[in-house]
């Protein structure tokens, strides 16, 4: 039996939709905090169980009979996320789960500039020390979040961002989901770490140039100071979110997300959707 946490979220739900097309729905478990958000999954015959990363007993109960767990990283950032992931790994051990597939991030490190990558570093270590079989998907930045960063650059002709000439090997969330479903239903991924992203990488100057080609207007990349970006974000967002995005920008600038790799292409058996395709659509 395969269970997926975060099944009410974008990546978990998309992965289950690929899984249900590949395997018997009776062998799939969707773990959610709120079953009302997963009626579409139960309509497909997937068992929906309640489990919360902050409630170890609920997690252990939701994992009864499960062999393989796709642990989708929690949406909080910081020490609380590591605590939640620790609960999930301990519950998996208690319930007799044999293999955990985990959604990590590019360049996990105790000293990462991108705050989320610090939590992933600690969770990866937890998995390696758990004694369970693991597979780690180091997911690069989602292409899906790029529109939020580029805003109306195609119309205004200006793309302000403090990314220097750092490059990113973005991946489409839907492609990651398909890659996860393929890995969860095939052999040979035991104790493997995959860099999940494109086989190329793009800078913000590249993005401005592509936007310019698509719109027929000149789009200039403005490599603004990090402090100006931070001040602008602080007008609209709470402090932890501001530090997440400023940290991400600094990490982009120092090429922490510049990790072209063919792992996703191999898992999909085709080229992943790339930045140019995505901006075209
Ligand atoms: N690579 C990237 O660019 C990128 C971007 C954003 C996020 N991420 C990471 O990737 C993960 C998956 O992405 P996504 O797009 O699917 O995110 P998402 O749509 O926000 O889904 C997050 C899921 O985590 C669940 N969750 C949060 N707290 C929980 C808890 N205490 N117990 C159990 N479940 C909990 C949420 O449940 P509810 O529906 O109940 O809230 C939701 O199902 C995110 O959680 C985040 O760690 C990566």
């Amino acid at each position: 039996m395969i269970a997926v946490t975060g099944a009410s979220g974008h990546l978990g739900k998309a992965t289950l939709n690929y899984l249900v097309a590949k395997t018997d729905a009776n062998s799939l478990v969707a773990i959610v905090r709120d079953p009302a958000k997963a009626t579409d999954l139960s309509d497909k015959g997937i068992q929906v169980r309640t489990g919360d990363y902050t409630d170890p007993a609920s997690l252990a109960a939701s994992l009864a009979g499960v062999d393989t767990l796709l642990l989708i990283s929690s949406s909080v950032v910081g020490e609380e996320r590591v605590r939640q992931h620790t609960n999930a790994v301990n519950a998996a051990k208690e319930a007799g789960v044999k293999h955990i597939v985990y959604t990590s991030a590019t360049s996990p490190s105790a000293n990462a500039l991108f705050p989320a990558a610090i939590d992933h570093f600690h969770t990866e270590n937890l998995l390696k020390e758990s004694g369970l079989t693991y597979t780690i998907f180091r997911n690069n930045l989602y292409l899906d979040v790029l529109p939020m960063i580029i805003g109306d650059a195609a119309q205004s002709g200006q793309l302000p961002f403090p990314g220097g000439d750092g490059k990113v090997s973005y991946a489409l969330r839907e492609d990651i989901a398909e890659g996860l479903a393929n890995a969860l239903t095939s052999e040979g991924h035991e104790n493997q770490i995959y860099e999940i992203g494109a086989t190329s990488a793009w800078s913000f100057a590249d993005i401005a140039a592509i936007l310019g080609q698509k719109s027929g207007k000149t789009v200039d990349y403005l490599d603004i100071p990090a402090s100006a970006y931070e001040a602008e974000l602080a007008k609209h967002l709470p402090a932890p979110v501001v530090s997440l995005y400023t940290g991400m920008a600094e990490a982009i600038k120092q090429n922490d997300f510049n990790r072209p790799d063919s792992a996703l292409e191999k898992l999909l058996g085709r080229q992943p959707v790339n930045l140019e395709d995505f901006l075209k659509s």
Side-chain angles (χ1 to χ4, degrees), residues 6-12 33 37 51-54 72-75 81 84 139-142 145 173:
S8 52
H10 293 93
L11 186 60
R33 286 192 284 195
K37 288 188 180 176
D52 189 317
Y53 295 142
T54 62
I72 301 268
S73 50
S74 181
S75 37
R81 177 151 72 162
Q84 292 186 9
N139 295 341
N140 211 300
L141 293 184
Y142 296 161
V145 298
R173 189 162 39 200

Side-chain angles (χ1 to χ4, degrees), residues 24-165:
D24 188 351
N26 286 327
S27 67
L28 298 174
V29 176
I31 301 178
V32 293
R33 286 192 284 195
D34 177 4
K37 288 188 180 176
T39 49
D40 52 334
L41 298 175
S42 50
D43 287 348
K44 290 179 178 160
I46 296 170
Q47 295 179 53
V48 175
R49 299 182 185 172
T50 307
D52 189 317
Y53 295 142
T54 62
D55 177 0
S58 73
L59 286 174
S62 71
L63 290 168
V66 169
D67 308 291
T68 303
L69 167 64
L70 169 57
L71 174 58
I72 301 268
S73 50
S74 181
S75 37
V76 293
V77 177
E79 286 173 9
E80 170 57 17
R81 177 151 72 162
V82 181
R83 261 193 298 279
Q84 292 186 9
H85 294 166
T86 305
N87 288 342
V89 174
N90 288 341
K93 282 205 264 188
E94 190 186 322
V97 170
K98 294 179 184 65
H99 184 172
I100 297 184
V101 178
Y102 173 65
T103 60
S104 181
T106 315
S107 301
S109 153
N111 308 309
L113 291 171
F114 180 41
I118 300 173
D119 314 339
H120 289 300
F121 169 80
H122 293 300
T123 308
E124 285 197 9
N125 285 343
L126 192 70
L127 284 168
K128 290 171 193 164
E129 290 159 11
S130 69
L132 301 180
T133 303
Y134 61 85
T135 305
I136 292 170
F137 269 50
R138 285 187 178 163
N139 295 341
N140 211 300
L141 293 184
Y142 296 161
L143 273 173
D144 313 67
V145 298
L146 199 51
M148 190 181 67
I149 297 174
I150 59 184
D152 67 351
Q155 290 76 41
S156 69
Q158 293 196 329
L159 173 52
F161 191 74
D165 49 19

